[in-house]
Structure formats: structure tokens, C-alpha cells
Amino acid sequence: MPSASPPTSRAWIVVNCAVVLLLIGGGGYLIATNEEAAEVAGTAFWGGFTFFTTPFVLETTVAILAILAVGIINQRRLEREGDGWVYLPKPEDKSEAASKEKQDASLP
């Protein structure tokens, strides 16, 4: 069975942003309209906050996010500017170079 072609990167970004906004909006609506959901969300947020701000976990999380940010920035730069490879000319064979020098020396 032939596989469907993947969506273009712009379409993929738009669809993912729409899904994230719908989830955030739905969660915000649920928190605003239901007192128990607001309490559960607040407790969960506070528990996550206290876990991620412990010294080892905070430092590790910041380091991982920094490496991820550098990777994303570098990937975007590579897409925009190209890979920056420099192609060097192939060196001539030594025997060819020596014979060429002899020919140049024998010319008047």
C-alpha cells in the first residue's frame, strides 16, 4: 500500500499550533467553569513546579532545553544558509606534477 505523502512543514506547523491552542483553550474553559477542576489543576501545577525547581532537576532541565534550543537554531540556520562546506580541488598526481615541471623547465 503506498504511503501518503507527509504534509508540508508549514501545514504541519499550522495544524499542530491549532491542536495546541484547542487543548489550551479547552483546559482554560474547564478550569474557569468548574471549581474542582481548577483546584486539581492548581495542585498539579504546584506539584510540577516544586518538582522541577529542585536543584538537580532544574539544572538538568535547563541544560536539556538549552541544547534543544541551540539545535533548533542551528537547524534553521542550516536551512537558510546552506551547509557551508568548502570543496577543495583534488591535488594533482606527483608524477604528473613532476613531468609538467620538467616540461616547463625545458621550454625556452
Side-chain angles (χ1 to χ4, degrees), residues 46-102:
W46 187 249
F49 178 77
T50 55
F51 173 74
F52 283 110
T53 54
T54 57
F56 177 75
V57 176
L58 179 65
E59 293 162 359
T60 305
T61 304
V62 169
I64 290 171
L65 289 175
I67 291 171
L68 184 66
V70 168
I72 290 171
I73 291 168
N74 190 41
Q75 185 63 34
R76 290 189 55 137
R77 183 192 61 81
L78 284 174
E79 289 173 1
R80 194 172 53 244
E81 297 175 7
D83 59 8
W85 283 95
V86 176
Y87 296 99
L88 299 175
K90 291 183 179 179
E92 294 181 12
D93 191 16
K94 289 184 179 183
S95 61
E96 290 177 17
S99 66
K100 190 175 183 181
E101 286 176 11
K102 286 180 185 178

